[in-house]
Amino acid sequence: MSGSRSTVMGRPRGFDIDEALERAMRVFWEQGYEGSSLTDLTGAMGITRTSMYAAFGNKEQLFRKALQRYVDGPAGYLDVALAQPTARAVAEALLRGAVRTATLPENFAGCLTIQGALSASAENRPVHDVLVQWRNAAGDRLEQRFRRASDEGDLPGDTDPQRLARYIMAVAFGIPVHAANGLGRAELDGIVDQVMLSWP
């Protein structure tokens, strides 16, 4: 007998960690970071504060995990869009994805990466900053994709990839705001139609 044990003794977790994180993501999505109290979060997750801290860390750490879940799930259309074969298809897939995610009937109008913490108190500035970093990184990825398209002759030679990427991202980030204001999917798709009519 070596005396070692292959399992760690202790009380097993009494909840589904993925389901709890999904519920936390939805609270942050609907109410934003500062609008989501620990009571709101633990109530939606169906766990105690002690269990939340043990499984996810503090509120900011929970938000970061929820944001990653959002990026991998509802906001996964960004990766799909960037993989499209032409710059035009990339732009349209990104904008249509923004429309779909902002208007899913089982979710909340808007976008977690936009409305999660547009403004924040000094103590919550790190959450604001992580969302700014995510949005900037998304814009940088789109710009790189458009630069590749320009190099490949998929965009006219006089196209400025940075300016085009900023324009598309401005529309993409504006779509959830209009969704939160009450515009439906058909109306938002109409905005995308208008953008695509002016494609270079």
Side-chain angles (χ1 to χ4, degrees):
M1 300 285 288
S2 67
S4 63
R5 311 190 79 161
S6 60
T7 59
V8 177
M9 297 299 289
R11 209 164 79 186
R13 212 175 251 133
F15 63 94
D16 184 319
I17 197 164
D18 286 332
E19 178 62 25
L21 186 56
E22 174 74 17
R23 291 179 180 182
M25 179 194 76
R26 289 170 179 269
V27 172
F28 285 128
W29 190 349
E30 182 180 26
Q31 299 176 196
Y33 182 78
E34 291 194 348
S36 301
S37 69
L38 287 177
T39 299
D40 295 332
L41 291 162
T42 55
M45 297 162 80
I47 61 176
T48 64
R49 290 190 185 193
T50 301
S51 294
M52 188 201 85
Y53 289 130
F56 302 104
N58 62 24
K59 181 183 174 183
E60 180 183 331
Q61 291 168 320
L62 174 62
F63 179 81
R64 289 174 182 267
K65 290 179 175 72
L67 175 62
Q68 189 59 55
R69 186 176 185 90
Y70 179 83
V71 169
D72 293 339
Y77 63 84
L78 175 62
D79 289 334
V80 173
L82 291 171
Q84 296 303 306
T86 66
R88 180 188 175 90
V90 168
E92 183 163 12
L94 190 149
L95 296 175
R96 302 285 183 202
V99 169
R100 283 194 309 276
T101 298
T103 58
L104 288 172
E106 69 274 19
N107 292 312
F108 311 105
C111 173
L112 176 59
T113 66
I114 305 298
Q115 293 131 308
L118 272 179
S119 60
S121 61
E123 66 179 318
N124 294 321
R125 189 73 188 183
V127 171
H128 169 272
D129 291 346
V130 76
L131 292 178
V132 169
Q133 290 164 9
W134 185 90
R135 293 193 298 266
N136 286 340
D140 290 345
R141 292 176 67 195
L142 184 61
E143 179 184 340
Q144 291 167 12
R145 178 63 183 85
F146 286 166
R147 286 193 185 283
R148 192 185 97 197
S150 182
D151 292 343
E152 294 171 349
D154 181 38
L155 285 170
D158 61 350
T159 302
D160 182 331
Q162 183 183 63
R163 183 176 294 180
L164 182 60
R166 286 177 175 172
Y167 167 57
I168 295 300
M169 293 309 292
V171 177
F173 291 148
I175 284 171
V177 175
H178 284 296
N181 286 346
L183 289 189
R185 183 172 296 187
E187 294 163 305
L188 294 170
D189 272 328
I191 293 173
V192 179
D193 292 341
Q194 186 63 45
V195 171
M196 300 319 297
L197 285 175
S198 62
W199 184 256

